[in-house]
Amino acid sequence: MPTRRFNMLGLRLSRFAEAGTRSKASALASDLEKTGASIGSVQLFSNIDNLSLDPVDKNTVMHSQLLQSYKWTNKMHELASQAVSILNQNTLKRTQVPRFSSSKKQKVNTLAACTISPALVDQLVAQLDQTYTDLSISIQRPLGNCGVMQIELGRTLRALVVLRGLMIEWVKVKGFDETFKTEDGQIDIWSASRYQVFQKVTDNAEAASLRFFHPLMPQLAIKSFIMWLQAYKNLFSAPCSKCGKYLQNNMPPTWRDYRSLEPIHDVCQM
């Protein structure tokens, strides 16, 4: 008799547990149905979003990379639009771009620096040659009215500057043991130096020509550029003004500050 009672009690408990489990399961199912109805369907904005649903890990990474590229492209477009609006406000331009209307052609205004006579240019070059004793400056005109100014700085470097009037159009810098002559004796304005250090100085000189450019005072621009170039007389003997070292990455200080003319390594000015 006791065994039978225990069996009946166990049967009742199991039925009660099953009933409780079923009620909990039904309650959970109803909650899930309510939650699913509130969420609704997943909205895909483009076909690229289908990659995020792919269970393959490789495609999932591709989706995030595409989204990052899309954001980067939009950011670049926004920055470019802002740059255009800022540059349009700048009135100091090296080249006057002609603007034409549909009914009448407007006259192009030429920069004053480009209309200076060759005699005045030669006079300024002769004055600079007398002012800077450690520089040897001469000018030739093998290309017509455009002057080619050749500069020798001690036994350090040679520079070639192409002038259109008093506006610097082209700059090349080579070592003292190199030449700007071709095999047939013509002036070579295109070939670069075979030394990496003077290639870097050429890049810095081109940047300096843009930095010192002034459309209203072209003579001051030329004088400032020559003064800046003269600071390279200690190219291989002066340490960097920031790190105090003579070499960084096997290169001397190839940059000269625009204001103080102090030698600085390219990596030190960043």
Side-chain angles (χ1 to χ4, degrees):
M1 292 295 293
T3 303
R4 185 177 180 182
R5 289 180 180 178
F6 279 117
N7 291 336
M8 293 179 64
L9 181 60
L11 182 60
R12 291 179 181 179
L13 290 175
S14 62
R15 290 178 179 177
F16 179 76
E18 291 178 359
T21 303
R22 291 176 182 175
S23 62
K24 291 181 179 179
S26 60
L28 180 60
S30 62
D31 292 340
L32 290 176
E33 290 178 357
K34 293 179 181 179
T35 305
S38 62
I39 293 177
S41 60
V42 178
Q43 183 179 3
L44 298 178
F45 295 97
S46 63
N47 294 330
I48 299 177
D49 293 335
N50 292 324
L51 291 174
S52 62
L53 304 178
D54 198 323
V56 181
D57 295 338
K58 180 176 66 175
N59 295 338
T60 305
V61 175
M62 184 186 301
H63 175 261
S64 61
Q65 293 176 351
L66 289 174
L67 290 180
Q68 186 67 23
S69 301
Y70 179 75
K71 294 179 181 178
W72 181 84
T73 304
N74 286 344
K75 187 65 175 179
M76 289 297 298
H77 185 271
E78 180 182 355
L79 294 177
S81 301
Q82 296 177 1
V84 169
S85 62
I86 294 174
L87 291 176
N88 288 334
Q89 300 174 2
N90 183 19
T91 58
L92 299 179
K93 298 180 179 179
R94 287 173 56 88
T95 304
Q96 296 292 335
V97 180
R99 297 181 179 179
F100 302 99
S101 60
S102 58
S103 59
K104 184 179 179 181
K105 182 185 296 185
Q106 298 180 356
K107 185 178 180 180
V108 180
N109 295 325
T110 307
L111 290 176
C114 302
T115 59
I116 296 178
S117 63
L120 294 178
V121 176
D122 296 344
Q123 182 180 355
L124 177 62
V125 171
Q127 180 183 355
L128 293 174
D129 184 49
Q130 295 177 0
T131 303
Y132 299 98
T133 56
D134 51 353
L135 289 176
S136 175
I137 307 176
S138 61
I139 188 170
Q140 300 179 12
R141 301 186 184 279
L143 306 176
N145 291 330
C146 294
V148 179
M149 187 167 56
Q150 300 188 41
I151 305 172
E152 292 185 4
L153 178 56
R155 299 183 62 85
T156 305
L157 57 83
R158 302 176 189 267
L160 184 143
V161 181
V162 178
L163 299 175
R164 183 159 65 100
L166 282 180
M167 187 174 69
I168 299 177
E169 290 283 351
W170 188 260
V171 181
K172 283 291 182 182
V173 179
K174 291 186 177 182
F176 186 77
D177 59 338
E178 297 179 290
T179 180
F180 287 103
K181 297 287 186 178
T182 59
E183 295 180 355
D184 55 355
Q186 301 295 326
I187 295 180
D188 181 17
I189 66 174
W190 305 109
S191 63
S193 174
R194 63 176 180 267
Y195 302 110
Q196 186 178 359
V197 58
F198 293 110
Q199 295 176 10
K200 181 62 68 174
V201 174
T202 297
D203 296 338
N204 296 335
E206 291 176 349
S209 66
L210 298 176
R211 170 64 175 79
F212 295 120
F213 170 74
H214 199 294
L216 302 180
M217 292 183 290
Q219 294 183 359
L220 178 61
I222 295 294
K223 292 179 180 179
S224 300
F225 177 78
I226 296 298
M227 183 183 299
W228 177 86
L229 187 64
Q230 186 193 19
Y232 281 95
K233 61 184 179 181
N234 56 359
L235 175 62
F236 300 104
S237 60
C240 177
S241 61
K242 289 191 175 182
C243 68
K245 298 180 180 179
Y246 288 91
L247 296 177
Q248 277 281 12
N249 299 328
N250 297 325
M251 292 283 287
T254 56
W255 176 258
R256 294 298 183 270
D257 186 78
Y258 292 134
R259 294 182 180 273
S260 62
L261 303 180
E262 294 179 348
I264 304 174
H265 289 113
D266 286 345
V267 295
C268 294
Q269 66 175 339
M270 298 180 180

